[in-house]
Each structure stands twice: as structure tokens, then as C-alpha cells.
Amino acid sequence: ALSIFIGACGGAKSPGASCGATFASGWHAKEPLGSGWLRWSDGGGTLRIASGATADLILDGEVLSLARPNAIDVLVDDQKVATWRIDDPAWKSHPFPTLEVHVQAGVDRVVRFVSLAAPVKQPTDPRPLTIALENVTLRRKADSTLCDLKMDALATSSGGSSR
């Protein structure tokens, strides 16, 4: 799995102050996109969020859907918290609604992004793809501090969606 470590910005990190997100099953390798990046999913991508201290964390970013129109169910610990609709027929990314996740110290929260459209293959890309998350950031709600985002070069795909 690709790990993203997210800690306090600048200087030494105090114990209990760090938080993190890990791209778990369902994601293809990170790809560069302009000055940013994206991660494609075959339909069901999982993100694990953890914190050393109890905190409300804010997830922001953009979503791109290969199939349009499409709806993406967002589940936190298997409870649906939102459905994002992409009705725009244009091939472009859309900022997704801010997702707030309350995290207890030392307890992972599992966020799943489930495309309701079936995976599609493009003539130039043999992978079955549905949605991509782009330039995802995680920040603390209390002080709006953007956390450091460090990405490992390795990644895995789920080899199939689990919907």
C-alpha cells in the first residue's frame, strides 16, 4: 500500500500530534498531473486515516470520473456519509465536497470511495478505471494547519473492485 504520512507542519513533531492517511486497496500507482498528482481506482478505493491525538480532520481534493455521468458513494467505517454526483459531460476534475472525519487517538478510520459506474478501459490504457482522486490534502479543523504530505514511490492496485 502507498503510505502518506501527514504530520504537523515545520519543526519537530510532538508526540500525539501526528496524523496520517494511507492509500490502501483499490488504487493504482500515483501519476503526475501538471503540478500535482492523481490516483486512479477501478471502482472501490480505500483510504485509512489515523491520528496520534483525537481530532477532527478535513479531507479536500478533486475527483475525476472516466464514466460520466457518475455517482460516487463515500463511506466512513462502512456508513455512507455522502454521494458525489458528476453530471458534467466534460473531461475535467471537480473539487469534491469537504469531508470531515473525527478520529480518536490511535483508532483508524476507513474511508471508501465507491463508483456506481462500471470500470471503463480506454484505447490508450488497458486498466479498467472509474474514478481518480487528485491532489488530496488533509488538515486539522481546529487550526487549519495543512499537514505535510509524503508519498512512497510504491503502490498497489486491488486487482479488482470490492463493491
Side-chain angles (χ1 to χ4, degrees):
L2 173 72
S3 293
I4 301 173
F5 176 75
I6 303 171
C9 288
K13 295 172 177 57
S14 59
S18 64
C19 55
T22 302
F23 278 89
S25 63
W27 301 103
H28 291 279
K30 181 183 94 168
E31 299 174 30
L33 180 70
S35 62
W37 57 270
L38 63 72
R39 297 289 306 268
W40 281 106
S41 171
D42 58 8
T46 300
L47 189 66
R48 290 190 173 276
I49 296 177
S51 179
T54 298
D56 291 320
L57 304 176
I58 304 293
L59 190 70
D60 288 307
E62 296 176 87
V63 63
L64 175 64
S65 180
L66 192 55
R68 295 172 306 281
N70 192 5
I72 299 131
D73 284 342
V74 181
L75 298 91
V76 177
D77 297 330
D78 292 324
Q79 297 293 316
K80 186 163 84 168
V81 298
T83 298
W84 301 339
R85 293 209 48 85
I86 300 175
D87 295 318
D88 184 349
W91 173 255
K92 69 178 190 174
S93 301
H94 300 275
F96 58 74
T98 296
L99 180 64
E100 183 175 328
V101 181
H102 181 77
V103 181
Q104 293 290 331
V107 180
D108 286 5
R109 301 297 303 270
V110 177
V111 181
R112 291 192 63 225
F113 304 90
V114 181
S115 171
L116 301 183
V120 177
K121 290 184 182 180
Q122 301 179 86
T124 58
D125 191 336
R127 301 173 298 174
L129 305 172
T130 55
I131 57 170
L133 293 186
E134 295 182 30
N135 305 319
V136 173
T137 61
L138 190 67
R139 61 184 166 88
R140 296 180 210 292
K141 181 179 181 183
D143 59 11
S144 292
T145 300
L146 281 176
C147 301
D148 294 332
L149 197 68
K150 297 178 184 174
M151 291 202 187
D152 189 323
L154 301 174
T156 60
S157 169
S158 67
S161 63
S162 53
R163 285 183 273 196

